[in-house]
Amino acid sequence: MVKNHNVFMKLDADPEPAGQGHPCTPARRDFPVSAGSPSLLSPPPSSPTSLPEVQVREVSAALRKPRLRSRRESQAPRPPQARALTVSEAAAAGDVVGGRGGCALSSFLPSALSDLRRGGPTPRSPWPGGSAVARRPRPGPRLTSAGTMLQRMARLIARVHQLNHGRFLHAGTQAPQSIAARLDDQAPGESPRALSRTRECDPANHGEQHEGQHYSISLQDMKTVFPHGLPPRYVMQVKTFGEACLMVRKPALELLQYLKTTNFTHPAVRYVLYGEKGTGKTLSLCHAVHFCAKQDWLVLHIPDAHRWVKNCRNLLQSTYNKQRLDQPLEASTWLKNFKTSNERFLSQIKVEEKYVWNKRESTEQGSPLGEVVEQGITRVKNATDAVGIVLKELRRQSALGAFHLLVAVDGVNALWGRTTLKREDKSPIAPEELALVHHLRKMVKNDWHGGAIVLTLSQTGSLFKPRSAYLPHELLGKVSAACAYCHSV
Amino acid sequence: MGSPLRKTKQAHIVESALTQLPAVPRLTPVRWSRYSAEYQDPQTDKEYFRKPAAELTEEERYVQELRKTQLIKAAPATKTGSVFEDPMVSKFTNMMMKGGNKVLAQQLMEQTLEAVKRKQFEKYHAASAEEQATIERNPYTIFHQALKNCEPVIGLVPILKGGHFYQVPVPLTDRRRRFLAMKWMITECRENKHRRTLMPEKLSQELLLAFHNQGPVIKKKQNMHKMAEANRALAHYRWW
């Protein structure tokens, strides 16, 4: 009996103003897993025998912890205690050009902080043109060690400089600009708005220094890796601006670290991203998917599980199992997108059984998986069964080691919630009675190895859940208790 | 006191002429409000109050002192003092509103402006460097310019003479012109669109066409001008 182990990763809700990079503030720790070290180098929970009790308990501790400060408090102006410390630190670090630069830094800070409070939409031009970044950056990297403090201070100053458009800078302050120029790899001719971008486009190389910055996904990658994964408004933004920029978030970095050190002989670890609305769960999932696609994993991305339990027309009774219901449209669209993203694997993987579709058609043993997918796309009636076969084969064959499998499901709480679908006699349908949901539940169970499972809990699009619900036990209900999750919360 | 009905302009003129006489019952006005005559309109312009006391003239100081004792009407809910408030956009939203559903009208307006901006951005990114300088991306500029292009210069009014109604060319006030431009735009977008096209989509399309002096609304304005030109001989039927 394989012990269940799951990693719950919370995405932070509070947007911190940029002035919170403060040496006097203790580092806020909302992330339960790596409580000891601020860096992401703690070993991931990969061994089943030593169940990560410590981490599970820390999960519950984090969830029990009340919000450290309310939104209004966090936005209150900070007292300028940094002054003396900054000067000494700056002098000590020796990174500031001369004593004049140090004085400029200290005199700069309080007015900068107060100006940030005022920095809002530019008056009289509510929609200034020319913003090339697809998402607004969430400010506020947290300070964890003195060594990176000056780096972050300089970044803050550089950002304030960008916000002020040079109004508060007097002619003598060359230092902040020089620090910013040295620390960010920018060409001298680039606009200050490019401050929150990074050139590092490979998610494998993303580290702490890229936190809060945007990296761009090439449009070619967008077509192959994300035929269906991204939120619809994001896709609209990509179409308008002609570029896809994703912000590097701390939970995503943590997740990538775990994925990099996955032990493929152990059962798949389930990573659950949860958090309030708008904190970046879906896009962190997409970041992980992009990483795995670049590392040549086989990615099974279900963009929104809620779509499979509501607003479905044309439910058919399944031919394979009379108790269940098929969803031909949803299954065929998913198969089409699956084919686009994993073209190269479909010819390599061979099915291990013979599948008979009807009197005339069947797929022989040893034929490539692509044939099953084609069958599902062309014969829409068999699409759900094709999906079931694809999932079964991949689950079986991921253990052999020919490929690594990533199962990414957005809105996994849909699989264990309620549906709004009804039969012809108006009786409600439980999610278990839908064949797609049944197959996906088996996929999300960690009794296979050779990959990882990344899940997102989402209240948006969920059915019969209040808007304020975001915690795992609120959205998943009894299922989260069945996973090794402390009830003492 | 008297009835709480506010006097119209005509009633004002009549009553000032009759101030010598004892209280005469007021004429029934066409539009009425719950405020009586002594209520003053509110001053919603923030800049008026930001002037330092030293810069005020004698008259302005007197007026400000006087207002402290006068009764002031409540400011309408639409006057927010926000930097994003635009009277033309508000007026257009109100004209689009059906059945008092202001929320829907505002959402449609917002989606229209967003659609305009997105289309312009896509055009901008697809254009070469010289063309990029000519592409206007601010949706508010496009909105204002489009409606300005749709305003007719001269209008037609049916005048009854000798048992027949003649379409007489007549100068239009600014308000009437703005109203006609907005009315034509909304009517065009409501009537001449496919059943499945949404209003923001159609409206953004029409606004962009009107911005470039093309499209059905501009054509309607030009038709109006042509008819006015054709009926030039009837101009002397106008007596105001």
Side-chain angles (χ1 to χ4, degrees):
Chain A
M1 171 64 184
V2 170
K3 258 189 173 175
N4 288 339
H5 56 277
N6 311 283
V7 179
F8 286 81
M9 310 176 69
K10 181 166 191 239
L11 279 108
D12 198 12
D14 271 341
E16 292 175 357
Q20 201 153 337
H22 202 272
C24 297
T25 332
R28 274 178 57 190
R29 243 175 275 284
D30 270 329
F31 301 110
V33 189
S34 53
S37 61
S39 71
L40 302 169
L41 299 176
S42 58
S46 56
S47 60
T49 47
S50 62
L51 179 69
E53 302 274 48
V54 174
Q55 280 141 353
V56 171
R57 249 182 256 126
E58 280 158 11
V59 165
S60 58
L63 290 173
R64 237 190 286 128
K65 207 190 291 181
R67 262 164 109 111
L68 288 178
R69 56 178 77 78
S70 70
R71 200 176 283 262
R72 205 181 303 145
E73 286 167 24
S74 66
Q75 279 179 356
R78 304 228 157 261
Q81 292 154 5
R83 215 184 274 187
L85 201 57
T86 316
V87 171
S88 60
E89 280 283 356
D95 215 5
V96 176
V97 176
R100 193 149 180 228
C103 298
L105 264 177
S106 63
S107 61
F108 191 72
L109 272 173
S111 55
L113 287 171
S114 61
D115 197 58
L116 279 174
R117 223 56 66 224
R118 263 176 290 165
T122 331
R124 300 294 160 204
S125 56
W127 285 357
S131 163
V133 186
R135 261 188 90 95
R136 195 193 298 215
R138 292 262 185 183
R142 286 185 201 85
L143 299 179
T144 47
S145 62
T148 52
M149 194 271 299
L150 188 64
Q151 212 176 17
R152 291 183 182 176
M153 282 305 226
R155 227 183 266 150
L156 156 69
I157 289 158
R159 276 198 200 155
V160 165
H161 171 57
Q162 164 205 334
L163 284 172
N164 287 342
H165 306 288
R167 275 204 302 269
F168 274 78
L169 273 184
H170 39 275
T173 44
Q174 295 302 312
Q177 292 167 14
S178 67
I179 291 174
R182 216 175 302 154
L183 294 175
D184 292 339
D185 50 337
Q186 284 185 53
E190 274 187 40
S191 69
R193 276 219 178 101
L195 217 56
S196 59
R197 286 183 189 254
T198 173
R199 293 246 176 93
E200 188 51 70
C201 290
D202 191 4
N205 301 337
H206 284 156
E208 259 185 29
Q209 69 273 26
H210 297 116
E211 194 187 311
Q213 304 208 312
H214 293 74
Y215 81 99
S216 59
I217 307 177
S218 69
L219 292 170
Q220 192 51 42
D221 273 351
M222 281 288 291
K223 278 191 221 150
T224 44
V225 180
F226 294 117
H228 59 175
L230 297 163
R233 271 204 84 85
Y234 187 88
V235 174
M236 243 194 317
Q237 296 281 65
V238 172
K239 183 167 170 260
T240 303
F241 295 109
E243 58 178 357
C245 290
L246 213 53
M247 183 160 88
V248 177
R249 289 184 163 85
K250 209 156 157 183
L253 285 173
E254 203 179 326
L255 181 58
L256 292 186
Q257 192 61 28
Y258 294 150
L259 289 174
K260 279 179 203 167
T261 52
T262 327
N263 188 337
F264 295 105
T265 51
H266 288 148
V269 181
R270 282 188 286 218
Y271 302 97
V272 179
L273 294 163
Y274 71 98
E276 292 181 0
K277 274 180 192 276
T279 43
K281 304 181 284 289
T282 308
L283 288 179
S284 298
L285 186 83
C286 293
H287 194 174
V289 163
H290 189 212
F291 164 76
C292 292
K294 281 272 196 218
Q295 302 288 306
D296 224 22
W297 290 35
L298 205 170
V299 173
L300 221 70
H301 188 24
I302 284 94
D304 192 2
H306 293 297
R307 287 222 186 136
W308 288 0
V309 298
K310 60 179 178 177
N311 299 339
C312 300
R313 305 167 129 208
N314 313 328
L315 290 173
L316 301 172
Q317 195 187 34
S318 167
T319 44
Y320 182 70
N321 185 334
K322 295 279 182 250
Q323 316 298 329
R324 294 199 214 124
L325 293 162
D326 269 358
Q327 286 156 293
L329 290 172
E330 282 80 22
S332 56
T333 22
W334 185 82
L335 278 174
K336 272 185 220 146
N337 292 325
F338 174 71
K339 187 176 160 194
T340 322
S341 50
N342 296 312
E343 200 83 63
R344 57 193 183 286
F345 290 105
L346 294 181
S347 42
Q348 292 166 16
I349 303 172
K350 311 282 183 220
V351 295
E352 289 174 353
E353 267 180 44
K354 180 174 170 176
Y355 296 107
V356 178
W357 302 105
N358 51 37
K359 265 188 265 181
R360 263 154 266 175
E361 289 167 6
S362 67
T363 312
E364 298 300 322
Q365 185 182 4
S367 48
L369 198 62
E371 273 190 30
V372 174
V373 175
E374 276 306 320
Q375 178 73 23
I377 294 174
T378 43
R379 293 252 179 274
V380 182
K381 262 192 176 172
N382 298 332
T384 318
D385 294 329
V387 170
I389 291 168
V390 162
L391 294 182
K392 186 166 81 170
E393 290 293 329
L394 290 176
R395 206 166 51 235
R396 247 193 260 167
Q397 297 191 25
S398 62
L400 305 175
F403 58 89
H404 303 312
L405 181 60
L406 176 77
V407 177
V409 183
D410 199 340
V412 75
N413 46 321
L415 304 182
W416 282 279
R418 284 165 60 186
T419 69
T420 47
L421 306 173
K422 292 196 173 86
R423 292 195 186 81
E424 272 101 20
D425 56 358
K426 309 275 174 82
S427 59
I429 301 175
E432 307 61 72
E433 293 168 14
L434 292 167
L436 277 179
V437 173
H438 175 83
H439 295 315
L440 200 52
R441 277 193 193 181
K442 284 196 280 183
M443 203 65 202
V444 166
K445 197 160 168 219
N446 55 353
D447 48 4
W448 52 276
H449 57 274
I453 307 174
V454 183
L455 308 168
T456 311
L457 296 179
S458 141
Q459 193 278 333
T460 319
S462 68
L463 295 162
F464 307 106
K465 292 282 177 210
R467 202 188 146 97
S468 54
Y470 72 96
L471 296 168
H473 70 92
E474 286 166 359
L475 288 175
L476 283 174
K478 287 186 289 189
V479 182
S480 63
C483 313
Y485 177 54
C486 269
H487 245 308
S488 56
V489 173
Chain B
M1 265 298 285
S3 70
L5 300 175
R6 188 166 180 253
K7 291 181 279 199
T8 54
K9 271 192 204 155
Q10 281 109 357
H12 254 297
I13 296 164
V14 171
E15 199 161 83
S16 60
L18 295 173
T19 38
Q20 310 302 322
L21 303 174
V24 173
R26 289 183 197 186
L27 306 171
T28 316
V30 174
R31 264 185 229 108
W32 61 279
S33 101
R34 297 294 299 180
Y35 290 115
S36 55
E38 55 266 10
Y39 276 83
Q40 307 297 319
D41 284 315
Q43 174 61 264
T44 49
D45 183 19
K46 275 194 209 169
E47 297 305 322
Y48 181 83
F49 295 108
R50 283 206 188 116
K51 262 197 258 181
E55 282 184 25
L56 296 175
T57 59
E58 271 293 327
E59 208 183 309
E60 280 175 345
R61 222 170 293 146
Y62 171 75
V63 162
Q64 281 199 359
E65 282 292 319
L66 184 62
R67 275 174 81 86
K68 287 181 193 170
T69 57
Q70 286 175 330
L71 290 163
I72 315 263
K73 294 186 212 171
T78 46
K79 281 251 170 355
T80 51
S82 154
V83 294
F84 302 109
E85 193 188 313
D86 190 334
M88 196 119 165
V89 171
S90 307
K91 185 63 87 182
F92 197 85
T93 317
N94 287 340
M95 286 177 72
M96 268 212 295
M97 172 167 60
K98 269 188 183 176
N101 196 347
K102 183 79 152 241
V103 172
L104 181 60
Q106 275 177 339
Q107 283 176 353
L108 291 175
M109 197 67 224
E110 201 180 301
Q111 286 166 22
T112 307
L113 293 170
E114 190 184 333
V116 163
K117 189 169 182 183
R118 279 189 194 274
K119 285 183 187 168
Q120 291 297 92
F121 262 84
E122 278 162 36
K123 221 163 48 172
Y124 181 85
H125 286 302
S128 61
E130 307 86 52
E131 289 167 20
Q132 276 182 355
T134 55
I135 293 177
E136 175 62 55
R137 284 177 289 167
N138 187 345
Y140 290 93
T141 326
I142 293 178
F143 178 78
H144 287 131
Q145 188 59 43
L147 287 181
K148 205 154 112 183
N149 291 347
C150 291
E151 282 175 16
V153 166
I154 193 167
L156 292 169
V157 148
I159 291 189
L160 179 62
K161 190 129 175 140
H164 296 281
F165 280 99
Y166 295 100
Q167 293 290 327
V168 175
V170 121
L172 299 171
T173 57
D174 276 338
R175 295 173 74 188
R176 179 78 186 153
R177 276 190 241 164
R178 281 195 290 264
F179 170 78
L180 281 175
M182 292 197 231
K183 186 82 184 169
W184 289 342
M185 180 65 78
I186 292 173
T187 321
E188 168 66 35
C189 293
R190 277 183 185 162
E191 286 169 15
N192 297 346
K193 70 173 173 73
H194 184 60
R195 175 184 59 89
R196 291 200 59 160
T197 326
L198 297 171
M199 182 67 157
E201 171 66 39
K202 172 76 180 173
L203 188 50
S204 57
Q205 201 180 345
E206 291 303 325
L207 283 172
L208 285 169
L209 285 175
F211 179 71
H212 295 291
N213 270 310
Q214 293 158 0
V217 191
I218 299 286
K219 215 161 154 223
K220 183 150 184 173
K221 169 189 92 158
Q222 286 164 353
N223 275 350
M224 170 86 119
H225 287 172
K226 279 182 205 157
M227 280 185 55
E229 183 65 30
N231 287 4
R232 215 173 35 186
L234 305 170
H236 63 278
Y237 284 175
R238 180 172 63 97
W239 63 84
W240 64 89

